[in-house]
Amino acid sequence: MIARLRARARIRLLIPPRRRALDRLLERTRYGRGLAARLTAADSHRSPAGFVRYSTGCCLAGAALATLWMGIPAALGGAAAGGIAPELMIRRRTAQRSDRITEQLPDVLAGLAAPLRAGASLPQAFAAAAEEAEAPLRSVLDGTCRDFDAGVAQDVAIERFASRCGVPPAVLAARALRVGRQAGTELARVIDEVGETLRDRDRLARELRASTAQARMSAIVVAALPVVFLLLMSAGARDQASLLFGEPIGWLLLAAGGGLEGAGILWIRKLTRLEETS
């Protein structure tokens, strides 16, 4: 038992250098730097190297499951589906973070306006708002406070704040702050007006999402039906499945069906967006 624990400890000592080497390799590439920025935007604790290993594992798992379920010809499709899953996870987490920041921003602006109205400076107002804010906007405010402590110019710190938020309402708020500082107007009043504008926009967006909820749900159901039917057919009709995945004519049919499915999804999304903007 003791020998096994010592062996595990030695293995752990060997693993970190390999991970650091992969991280250094990714840092030198444009893909690695972009992936690191996307992971940060998604509030993911994975490093770029960890995400690459996770994606590779998903590809292998998808290929193995597809092979067991539908045969060797379906391994490529399973690997592709497994590789897409981590990408979809990042996009979903990024969208969720953006929604939370957009929802929290009016309250944070109100927390900025109160200290300014009491005579505090802008760095002090950001520090007070950071103490009351919740994740994920609290980490953004902490980063802005660190910029102020490091002596960064206020306009630059405000611009970095909007960049860390990564949502259009934050860009609007940062622009209003910069213009208010340059014009010498009362910043608390400017922030209050921006916060009220953001609340109105958020209320309108919620009403639009509620009015298009049925159309979006119908789009999801229609898009999922062919995939579910293909899985059920593959499980119950092996001959037809072997024709689809093992013969050139089957590949052609799958390509045509996938193209029509993608075109239908894009068309439904376009109709939904037109309904939201109308």
Side-chain angles (χ1 to χ4, degrees), residues 28-44:
R28 298 174 187 152
T29 63
R30 181 180 300 177
Y31 169 77
R33 292 190 295 269
L35 180 59
R38 294 178 60 205
L39 290 172
T40 301
D43 272 345
S44 176

Side-chain angles (χ1 to χ4, degrees), residues 213-231:
Q214 183 177 359
R216 286 185 279 110
M217 181 58 65
S218 300
I220 293 173
V221 172
V222 171
L225 281 177
V227 179
V228 174
F229 175 77
L230 181 63
L231 293 176

Side-chain angles (χ1 to χ4, degrees), residues 4 7 21 23 31 37 44 56 59 66 79 97 103 117 125 136 138 148 162 179 183 222 240 250 256 277:
R4 186 181 301 174
D23 280 322
Y31 169 77
S44 176
T56 303
C59 288
R97 177 182 181 271
E103 183 180 355
R117 195 176 293 109
R138 182 169 187 172
F148 285 128
V179 172
V222 171
Q240 289 80 356
T277 56

